[in-house]
């Protein structure tokens, strides 16, 4: 039996593209499993230039402390002064650590096997500092900011997480041979933090070599820590290696808030509304959220349902690479697997 | 006969070569097409061309020798002018390459370069950077094609990355704002973006490639990558025969490792180009087998191997000359010498496919000289 002491309220931002449909499936599964979570839905209209929607969303997340979100589109038709909403959310709430766990799944056919990489990406500064200006006509400068504080903070997070999860090695990814001061500072901070964790091996690798190694021998990596842009590249490469954007969940942690989403943050406009998006990533993200809320039993229940669907019953969502199932097929299978565990569930 | 008539008869001869080449093309697809170079098209079939050769450091000299041997066996009309590049300080303290090297390149326009070492804390910028600045090498071109016989988890890779090579994140401008806060400046200009976009579309058109994809992160870097993207879109208007796509960097990475066959020509700013070109090299087997070419202003082009100097195996006859050889083949195509390029490339690929004589990094036990000898033998057998 489950005991729950209280119901949690979580902010839900549907976003654009496949976000709304995936999140409605999450709600369906939560309802079915009697998860004690209420969602406060906040919409953000990406077509508007005004910040009001985002301000509301951020206030709601501050209030609830936790959010689950779809990706908000950045419309290129709006002027450059309108920044990426997703980025604004991350920086306003100081969600400094983006964490992604890439694991090979037995039921997913991929070129590489036995991948188990944790990627910790600095989430607030670096190339995503949103500081750009046109100094003279036709010449644009974009500033990449690296600070000692944020670099130490993310390195500390990476090593602490590595120790918690019993991981052996942390690799810092950088381009300090070219960006000597910026990435040099990042690397320096990682080295400093590493000295406080003698039980964990620390090494570093240049980002272009890293991508080359990832596509040939990804099994060599354990935990990786890096600044923002390289994090973007490496997390997408790793997600592709383990089977694609529909499979991997992502989490953004700050000191006070946490926001969960799919790891590769795709809007998926071309597949929206066609019942073919893979709900796995978003469902697993919701499980990460449940763990964060200390509702571990519910998290395990749903996670096992999803993984059983992936690895055993092999119901796979539509993918150009394998499977022709629909989103609903996958969700139905997940719920059946949950029911088969014999727990109390709502009517299907 | 007069010069004119012999040119004409050789032109018809060249047409036969083009037809023969198209037979080979059926086998090797787009990689066998050249990019146009007006001054070299017809003349180069029978006049000796001088190319500046920079052997480089470490294994550089031995792989350069290997390439020269193979070219000799193929009877390619190339004569080599060897030069060394080390950083020297000119008047006013500015670092530059030796004047005789510069003179040679300016005269010959074509260069082939082995790996150069970049000593740490030498006080001078890297040699590659100096060369880039000296000759305004604005485009780095890397064709990545799967090599039959050198197995990787990815087959059927056939794409080209074209990277803007002068600005972007590698502007080298960094400041310490206050203690603990560093700012690196990424520079994107209209002129450089337009130039690289034009080169990419020209390349696509001249090499019968079907699409050009601009890789960017304009959702985050709205102004800088936005400018790059705008220029690409503008140039695309003049090349309606080539399909133009734009894709976010992360989406490209995600799709590249799942299905690289969906990509054709990719054009992008400096940093993304650095990362993606190495990622693509990883797909086909690494830097030891990847060719690379740098296109500069004023018709200068330097082709190079992009692997390191491998000091641990230098002088031991263990090096693999494939990367430098394929770069030299790229150079031949750039000069319009397709027949020689095809011959040497087929010989090289067949040797690798055969698996009997392979260097250590390709999984064999043969020496560099043996591998070279085998390619030379195949080239000569093709006569």
């Amino acid at each position: 039996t489950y005991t729950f002491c209280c119901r949690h309220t979580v902010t839900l931002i549907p976003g654009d593209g496949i976000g709304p449909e995936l999140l409605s499936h999450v709600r369906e599964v939560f309802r079915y499993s009697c998860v004690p979570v209420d969602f406060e839905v906040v919409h953000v209209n990406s077509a508007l230039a005004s910040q009001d929607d985002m301000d509301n969303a951020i206030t709601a997340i501050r209030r609830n402390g936790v959010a689950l979100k779809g990706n908000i589109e950045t419309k290129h038709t709006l002027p450059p002064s309108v920044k990426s909403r997703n980025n604004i959310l991350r920086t306003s709430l100081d969600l400094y650590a983006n964490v992604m766990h890439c694991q090979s799944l037995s039921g997913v056919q991929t070129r590489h096997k036995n991948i188990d990489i944790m990627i910790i990406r600095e989430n607030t500064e670096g190339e995503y500092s949103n500081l750009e200006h046109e100094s003279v006509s036709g010449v644009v400068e974009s500033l990449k900011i690296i600070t000692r504080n944020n670099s130490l903070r993310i390195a500390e997070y990476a090593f602490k997480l590595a120790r918690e999860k019993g991981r052996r090695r942390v690799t810092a990814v950088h381009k300090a041979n070219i960006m000597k001061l910026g990435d040099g500072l990042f690397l320096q901070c990682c080295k400093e933090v590493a000295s406080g964790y003698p039980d964990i091996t620390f090494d570093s690798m240049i980002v272009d070599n890293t991508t080359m190694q990832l596509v040939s021998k990804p099994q060599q990596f354990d935990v990786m820590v890096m600044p923002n842009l390289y994090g973007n590249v490496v997390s997408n490469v790793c997600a592709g290696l383990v089977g694609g954007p529909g499979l991997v969940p992502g989490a953004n942690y700050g000191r006070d808030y946490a926001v969960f989403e799919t790891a590769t943050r795709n809007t998926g406009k071309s597949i929206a509304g066609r019942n073919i998006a893979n709900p796995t990533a978003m469902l697993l993200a919701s499980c990460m959220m449940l763990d964060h809320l200390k509702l571990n039993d519910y998290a395990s229940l749903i996670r096992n349902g999803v993984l059983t669907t992936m690895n055993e019953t092999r119901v796979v969502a539509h993918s150009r690479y394998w499977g022709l199932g629909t989103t609903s097929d996958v969700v139905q299978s997940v719920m059946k697997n949950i029911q088969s565990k014999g727990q109390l569930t709502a009517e299907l | 006969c007069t010069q004119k008539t012999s040119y004409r008869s050789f032109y018809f001869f060249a047409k036969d070569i083009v037809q023969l080449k198209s037979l080979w093309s059926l086998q090797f697809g787009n990689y066998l097409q050249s990019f146009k170079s007006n001054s070299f098209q017809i003349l180069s079939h029978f006049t000796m061309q001088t190319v500046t050769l920079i052997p480089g450091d470490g294994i550089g000299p031995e792989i350069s020798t290997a390439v020269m041997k193979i070219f000799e066996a193929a009877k390619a009309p190339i004569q080599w002018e060897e030069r060394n590049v080390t950083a020297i300080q000119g008047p006013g303290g500015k670092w530059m390459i030796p004047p005789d090297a510069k003179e040679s390149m300016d005269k010959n326009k074509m260069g082939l370069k082995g790996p150069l070492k970049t000593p740490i804390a030498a006080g001078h910028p890297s040699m590659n950077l100096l060369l880039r600045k000296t000759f305004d090498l604005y485009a780095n071109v890397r064709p990545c094609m799967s090599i039959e016989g050198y197995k990787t988890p990815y087959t059927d890779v056939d794409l080209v990355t074209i990277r803007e090579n002068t600005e972007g994140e590698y502007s080298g401008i960094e400041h310490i704002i206050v203690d603990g806060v560093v700012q690196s400046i990424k520079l994107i200009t209209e002129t450089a973006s337009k130039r690289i976009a034009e080169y990419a579309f020209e390349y696509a058109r001249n090499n019968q490639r079907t699409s050009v994809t601009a890789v960017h992160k304009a959702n985050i870097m709205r102004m800088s990558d936005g400018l790059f993207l705008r220029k690409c879109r503008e140039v695309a208007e003049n090349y309606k025969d080539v399909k133009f796509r734009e894709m976010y960097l992360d989406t490209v990475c995600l799709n590249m490792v799942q299905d690289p066959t969906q990509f054709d020509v990719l054009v992008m700013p400096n940093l993304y180009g650095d990362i993606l070109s190495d990622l693509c090299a990883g797909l086909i087997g690494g830097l030891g087998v990847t060719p690379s070419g740098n296109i500069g202003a004023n018709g200068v082009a330097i082709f190079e191997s992009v692997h390191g100097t491998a000091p641990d195996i230098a002088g031991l006859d263990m090096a693999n000359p494939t990367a430098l050889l394929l770069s030299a083949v790229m150079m031949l195509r750039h000069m319009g010498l397709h027949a020689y390029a095809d011959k040497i490339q087929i010989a090289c690929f067949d040797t690798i496919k055969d698996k009997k004589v392979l260097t250590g990094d390709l999984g064999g036990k043969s020496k560099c000289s043996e591998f070279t000898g085998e390619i030379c033998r195949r080239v000569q057998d093709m006569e």
Side-chain angles (χ1 to χ4, degrees), chain A residues 105-119:
Chain A
L105 293 170
S106 59
V108 181
Q109 178 87 319
T110 53
R111 289 180 180 84
H112 308 272
K113 310 263 176 267
N114 300 321
I115 299 175
D116 190 353
I117 306 174
M118 293 211 76
I119 299 167

Side-chain angles (χ1 to χ4, degrees), chain A residues 70-240:
Chain A
N71 203 47
I72 305 163
E73 194 191 341
T74 304
K75 290 227 184 323
H76 291 288
T77 45
L78 294 173
S81 52
V82 180
K83 306 292 174 205
S84 154
R85 265 58 184 258
N86 306 298
N87 196 222
I88 290 174
L89 200 144
R90 293 189 289 266
T91 48
S92 308
L93 297 169
D94 199 24
L95 301 169
Y96 65 90
N98 177 251
V99 179
M100 180 176 156
H101 187 185
C102 276
Q103 258 178 315
S104 293
L105 293 170
S106 59
V108 181
Q109 178 87 319
T110 53
R111 289 180 180 84
H112 308 272
K113 310 263 176 267
N114 300 321
I115 299 175
D116 190 353
I117 306 174
M118 293 211 76
I119 299 167
I120 291 134
R121 160 189 178 185
E122 206 293 324
N123 216 10
T124 56
E125 59 176 23
E127 299 80 351
Y128 290 38
S129 305
N130 285 322
L131 295 164
E132 297 183 293
H133 53 266
E134 194 162 0
S135 41
V136 298
S137 170
V139 176
V140 176
E141 283 183 8
S142 175
L143 305 181
K144 162 178 165 167
I145 309 288
I146 298 278
T147 62
R148 196 175 161 68
N149 283 348
N150 289 345
S151 304
L152 283 173
R153 190 166 66 162
I154 195 67
E156 191 62 56
Y157 189 93
F159 277 90
K160 210 152 132 258
L161 189 65
R163 188 176 264 173
E164 242 172 71
K165 304 280 180 191
R167 313 287 283 208
R168 299 263 62 113
R169 201 171 124 231
V170 173
T171 307
V173 178
H174 66 96
K175 190 89 193 158
N177 52 338
I178 302 289
M179 284 177 259
K180 298 185 167 71
L181 292 182
D183 285 356
L185 176 60
F186 179 81
L187 201 53
Q188 178 61 31
C189 293
C190 289
K191 285 194 182 126
E192 272 177 43
V193 173
S195 58
Y197 291 80
D199 50 322
I200 297 176
T201 318
F202 171 70
D203 56 17
S204 62
M205 200 183 272
I206 299 182
V207 61
D208 34 351
N209 187 23
T210 306
T211 52
M212 216 177 345
Q213 296 294 323
L214 278 169
V215 297
S216 42
K217 257 188 8 243
Q219 299 80 6
Q220 64 182 287
F221 295 104
D222 192 355
V223 177
M224 299 168 83
V225 64
M226 61 208 85
N228 219 330
L229 183 70
Y230 312 147
N232 185 231
V233 170
V234 170
S235 36
N236 275 271
V237 169
C238 290

Side-chain angles (χ1 to χ4, degrees), chain B residues 73-312:
Chain B
K75 299 206 187 66
I78 304 287
Q79 55 197 25
W80 307 96
E81 201 171 86
E82 265 188 60
R83 290 285 180 271
N84 274 318
V85 291
T86 46
I88 59 169
Q89 252 179 327
K94 190 165 158 226
W95 290 102
M96 51 187 226
I97 64 169
D100 64 337
K102 182 169 191 310
E103 223 179 279
S104 172
M105 268 309 307
D106 284 335
K107 175 170 61 83
N108 298 326
K109 301 291 186 194
M110 293 290 118
L112 184 67
K113 174 181 131 340
L116 291 173
K117 67 170 182 259
T118 302
I120 304 174
H124 64 75
S126 83
M127 291 316 306
N128 293 312
L129 184 63
L130 270 180
L131 280 169
R132 214 170 294 144
K133 288 231 142 78
T134 311
F135 300 106
D136 196 16
L137 301 173
Y138 67 91
N140 178 253
V141 184
R142 274 205 215 166
C144 287
M145 196 165 102
S146 288
I147 299 177
E148 203 187 335
Y150 189 38
K151 213 170 161 316
T152 64
Y154 299 89
T155 52
D156 306 327
V157 179
D158 185 7
L159 53 87
V160 182
T161 57
I162 296 178
R163 157 193 176 188
E164 204 292 322
N165 218 6
T166 60
E167 54 176 32
E169 299 80 349
Y170 293 9
S171 58
I173 312 169
E174 292 189 292
H175 310 113
I176 299 179
I177 312 284
V178 293
D179 186 33
V181 179
V182 176
Q183 157 189 307
S184 304
I185 298 188
K186 163 178 164 165
L187 212 60
I188 298 280
T189 62
E190 210 173 296
T191 32
S193 304
K194 185 155 174 279
R195 189 166 62 164
I196 195 70
E198 270 168 356
Y199 181 79
F201 279 95
E202 270 302 315
Y203 180 93
R205 190 179 264 173
N206 296 334
N207 290 275
Q208 283 77 42
R209 311 294 296 206
T210 44
S211 73
V212 171
T213 306
V215 182
H216 65 98
K217 270 216 81 64
N219 51 341
I220 301 291
M221 285 174 260
R222 304 292 314 273
M223 283 181 80
S224 44
D225 282 0
L227 173 58
F228 178 82
L229 202 54
R230 244 190 349 266
K231 286 291 139 199
C232 289
R233 285 182 189 145
E234 276 172 32
V235 172
E237 292 298 312
N238 300 330
Y239 291 84
K240 293 287 192 192
D241 48 324
V242 179
K243 188 159 153 261
F244 174 65
R245 285 192 310 180
E246 30 189 88
M247 218 187 246
Y248 288 138
L249 171 67
D250 38 1
T251 314
V252 172
C253 290
L254 187 59
N255 290 334
M256 183 70 80
V257 300
Q258 293 181 83
D259 179 22
T261 61
Q262 63 188 280
F263 295 106
D264 194 352
V265 176
L266 297 152
V267 64
M268 59 214 112
N270 217 331
L271 176 68
Y272 314 151
D274 194 6
I275 299 174
L276 268 181
S277 55
D278 276 8
L279 195 156
C280 296
L283 298 177
I284 62 165
L287 299 181
V289 294
T290 306
S292 173
N294 298 292
I295 310 300
N298 305 317
V300 168
I302 301 183
F303 298 85
E304 58 175 353
S305 58
V306 286
H307 53 70
T309 52
D312 48 334

